[in-house]
Amino acid sequence: MKFFVDTADIAEIRDLAETGLVDGVTTNPSLVAKSGRKFTEVLAEICEVVPGPVSAEVAATDFATMMKEAWRLARIADNITVKVPLTRDGLKACRALTKDGIKVNVTLCFSPAQAILAAKAGATFVSPFIGRLDDVSIDGMALIADICAIFRRYPAFTTEVLVASVRHPRHVVEAAKIGAHVVTVPPKVLRQLFDHPLTDKGLAAFLADWKKTGQSILGD
Ligand code: E4P
């Protein structure tokens, strides 16, 4: 399972990339607004820090302008993945960009039918938003299970399921159990994945006992 980090905060990305566990980055217009940075500049920086796919979303809603924006974004760095919304124009743009060799992440997916269309349009990734479904009392993880089951029936579909709108570590674990290809997690959730109180407690006990031995591994 690949781990992407869902943020446009370059300090967070640098910090988490140091773990060697970040395979890519996803951004969206809200995350860019939160960063307070110029979109193209922050994207160029992110692409230098993380060599994997970095999703950058178009802001237009019509096909022609989406295509212009997509090319502008794609020229920022080789590892840019253009993000388009799951609309008719978005999927039309996805198909055209894919044919031209640009990687595309189709975002704002909320149904299996939409995911099938994204796969048929040749998307590199489709992003089902599970947290936003959970927020309205619809089981987001059931959507991931449905999409993964459908894609497995059609080996010709190369689109990867990118689990988005992740709220907590359990979302990550459940997505992994289903076999989703990628999960994009907010920095806070990625940090939470490392933590377990019994790890902290166990380590403290080991260190206390080690101290009693009076030895040093590097001291001999
Ligand atoms: C994915 O690419 C989106 O940026 C993101 O996961 C949206 O999550 P949210 O529902 O927490 O805004």
Side-chain angles (χ1 to χ4, degrees):
M1 175 182 244
K2 282 175 268 189
F3 277 13
F4 291 1
V5 63
D6 195 30
T7 182
D9 183 329
I10 190 71
E12 293 272 39
I13 293 168
R14 279 187 206 285
D15 178 53
L16 292 166
E18 277 178 14
T19 64
L21 299 174
V22 174
D23 302 301
V25 176
T26 50
T27 66
N28 65 39
S30 307
L31 293 171
V32 172
K34 200 170 153 195
S35 79
R37 299 273 316 273
K38 187 170 154 51
F39 189 29
T40 48
E41 282 174 15
V42 79
L43 278 171
E45 267 183 60
I46 296 171
C47 287
E48 272 180 29
V49 175
V50 176
V54 174
S55 289
E57 189 161 341
V58 296
T61 54
D62 67 285
F63 171 74
T65 320
M66 263 187 214
M67 290 299 288
K68 281 185 204 152
E69 290 184 353
W71 277 105
R72 169 77 184 87
L73 295 171
R75 275 192 276 267
I76 292 174
D78 289 344
N79 53 330
I80 286 283
T81 295
V82 173
K83 220 176 180 190
V84 298
L86 209 154
T87 59
R88 285 175 67 144
D89 282 47
L91 291 182
K92 201 173 147 191
C94 173
R95 193 156 187 74
L97 292 164
T98 300
K99 278 193 177 150
D100 286 336
I102 305 286
K103 287 196 167 75
V104 180
N105 175 0
V106 177
T107 190
L108 291 168
C109 172
F110 291 95
S111 78
Q114 289 181 316
I116 293 168
L117 292 178
K120 282 186 68 66
T124 312
F125 304 105
V126 63
S127 293
F129 276 36
I130 59 170
R132 293 192 193 186
L133 282 170
D134 288 353
D135 289 347
V136 293
S137 297
I138 295 171
D139 184 357
M141 204 52 71
L143 174 61
I144 301 302
D146 280 349
I147 297 171
C148 288
I150 293 165
F151 283 14
R152 274 187 213 112
R153 298 291 294 260
Y154 294 92
F157 282 174
T158 54
T159 304
E160 296 193 4
V161 179
L162 195 169
V163 181
S165 187
V166 164
R167 302 276 195 257
H168 45 69
R170 198 158 46 80
H171 272 154
V172 177
V173 174
E174 292 301 320
K177 279 161 75 178
I178 292 167
H181 307 86
V182 192
V183 68
T184 187
V185 288
K188 181 185 154 211
V189 176
L190 188 48
R191 290 198 179 91
Q192 284 178 317
L193 290 173
F194 287 87
D195 298 337
H196 196 289
L198 290 179
T199 304
D200 297 341
K201 194 178 166 195
L203 183 59
F206 283 156
L207 293 179
D209 287 340
W210 178 248
K211 206 170 176 187
K212 287 180 209 157
T213 72
Q215 299 178 56
S216 159
I217 294 173
L218 300 175
D220 292 339

